[in-house]
Amino acid sequence: MTKDGSFSLKSNYFNETFHSGSGALNEALTKFICPSQIEIFKEESTIRILDVCFGLGYNSAALLDALQQTSIKAKWLGLEIDPRPLDLALKEKDFQNLWSTNILSILQSLRKHSQWNNDWSEGLLLWGDARKMIKAISKTWKADLVFLDAFSPTHCPELWTEEFLSKLAKLLSPGGRIITYCRAAAVRASLRRSGLQIFSIKPSQFTQNNWSEGTIAISSDNKNVNNAKDQPWQLLSPMEEEHLLTRAATPYRDLSGADKPCEIIDRRKIEQFHSNLKVTSDWRRRWFN
Ligand SMILES: C[S@@+](CC[C@H](N)C(=O)[O-])C[C@H]1O[C@@H](n2cnc3c(N)ncnc32)[C@H](O)[C@@H]1O
């Protein structure tokens, strides 16, 4: 049980919790739904969503819950390697109580049939390693929203590599955005190199001392991106920009598309050792001491 009363899990395999202790639902709303800005989509239009690392389904369930209160339609794809998180969540009364009957029946249908279809939305969950399953998505299918909610780069580097992020970038529609809780310099630098404009998700009122809730990377085809005060994101601060000039910005690389996590981590360590980039501890001392 997390602090907002919502149920979550810990993975022994990845040695990491699925959500921050502040609350699984709270995290979905702050880091994924608010930055999705569904209010900018036209009524009657169709939003295409790709949820990378579906897990217990919080991010998608919260988004669909918000969408069902509008006349916007949804076409959804999910990527997930392990059916157990959804299975365990659906057995919990507290988890069931979070959702309306409609959303619960979507989650149940995903568990039983890996898909759903109703009068305003449809979805398909592709089970397996996201690096492999992403190849099954048609090149003509374009996402307005990509939720990237993998375990952290040090525990699950394979889903934060330059190669995988660049595949996600290619799936974006003009103006489409990748949203992630991750603010790691390596991930931001790779997203920028894949041609996206990157922004920092503003800290929420609950995490005042935090410098960022994550990253939004927007397809640069969108000329209307601005930095207005009422946006949930902002340009990277000088401190965040400087972070990208340090060795922390050395990318994770997956040369075969199926490299083991330890190979990806070791390769990055070697690249950092030979790097001309500034030492990250100097950056940390400059901005945090
Ligand atoms: C932090 S959790 C996601 C939480 C989820 N978004 C939610 O709202 O409950 C990370 C998820 O990534 C999945 N995962 C780990 N490696 C994966 C891979 N290579 N391909 C697809 N999914 C993976 C895990 O099974 C886990 O469910």
Side-chain angles (χ1 to χ4, degrees):
M1 207 53 86
T2 57
K3 273 193 195 142
D4 68 358
S6 55
F7 168 80
S8 186
L9 294 168
K10 182 182 176 208
S11 164
N12 287 338
Y13 181 78
F14 288 98
N15 193 21
E16 200 164 286
T17 55
F18 278 57
H19 299 95
S20 76
S22 69
L25 183 60
N26 180 37
E27 191 175 342
L29 296 172
T30 316
K31 300 188 176 175
F32 291 92
I33 310 313
C34 175
S36 297
Q37 288 192 296
I38 61 167
E39 66 278 7
I40 66 171
F41 292 89
K42 291 198 182 80
E43 291 288 324
E44 311 295 338
S45 66
T46 300
I47 302 191
R48 285 183 168 71
I49 305 131
L50 174 64
D51 186 351
V52 184
C53 295
F54 175 76
L56 293 79
Y58 273 101
N59 299 336
S60 288
L63 181 79
L64 292 166
D65 189 36
L67 286 177
Q68 73 170 344
Q69 290 155 47
T70 69
S71 61
I72 301 171
K73 299 185 175 62
K75 286 191 194 281
W76 179 95
L77 285 177
L79 300 175
E80 172 56 55
I81 203 166
D82 189 349
R84 291 172 302 169
L86 177 60
D87 220 35
L88 288 166
L90 283 172
K91 287 185 182 135
E92 287 289 322
K93 223 54 257 94
D94 290 321
F95 181 80
Q96 293 170 16
N97 289 340
L98 290 175
W99 312 112
S100 65
T101 321
N102 273 346
I103 301 301
L104 206 50
S105 88
I106 287 175
L107 294 174
Q108 276 156 347
S109 184
L110 283 175
R111 191 190 60 171
K112 279 197 199 131
H113 312 293
S114 307
Q115 59 181 330
W116 88 88
N117 199 327
N118 61 28
D119 54 350
W120 62 277
S121 66
E122 60 184 54
L124 176 66
L125 189 37
L126 301 169
W127 297 106
D129 186 338
R131 290 179 291 177
K132 184 166 165 237
M133 299 318 290
I134 199 171
K135 294 181 193 153
I137 302 176
S138 154
K139 294 216 165 40
T140 57
W141 192 91
K142 297 293 172 196
D144 302 303
L145 297 174
V146 173
F147 293 161
L148 178 51
D149 198 11
F151 290 115
S152 64
T154 43
H155 290 106
C156 186
E158 60 272 33
L159 296 186
W160 302 102
T161 62
E162 185 104 346
E163 293 77 8
F164 186 68
L165 294 172
S166 130
K167 286 196 177 109
L168 291 181
K170 289 197 181 97
L171 276 176
L172 287 177
S173 64
R177 56 184 79 171
I178 297 174
I179 302 174
T180 177
Y181 72 87
C182 184
R183 58 188 191 183
V187 171
R188 287 182 164 179
S190 288
L191 287 167
R192 191 175 264 175
R193 269 192 298 275
S194 61
L196 305 177
Q197 290 177 266
I198 59 167
F199 299 89
S200 186
I201 302 178
K202 289 179 186 168
S204 78
Q205 61 187 99
F206 307 106
T207 49
Q208 286 293 343
N209 51 2
N210 207 344
W211 46 271
S212 170
E213 292 292 345
T215 307
I216 301 189
I218 304 187
S219 152
S220 302
D221 293 357
N222 183 12
K223 305 279 183 290
N224 297 324
V225 175
N226 61 42
N227 195 34
K229 278 211 177 69
D230 54 353
Q231 305 279 29
W233 68 75
Q234 57 199 2
L235 289 172
L236 266 56
S237 66
M239 179 272 278
E240 289 171 287
E241 283 292 350
E242 215 176 276
H243 196 198
L244 305 195
L245 303 176
T246 72
R247 289 180 193 190
T250 309
Y252 297 88
R253 298 185 197 275
D254 180 0
L255 302 185
S256 71
D259 285 356
K260 293 196 187 98
C262 58
E263 291 173 326
I264 298 172
I265 296 280
D266 288 349
R267 182 179 297 124
R268 180 167 180 264
K269 278 191 190 145
I270 294 169
E271 193 173 332
Q272 282 179 317
F273 181 76
H274 294 292
S275 170
N276 291 328
L277 293 169
K278 290 181 196 153
V279 182
T280 312
S281 53
D282 287 351
W283 167 84
R284 204 169 290 120
R285 212 169 297 120
R286 189 162 129 71
W287 290 99
F288 295 101
N289 278 353

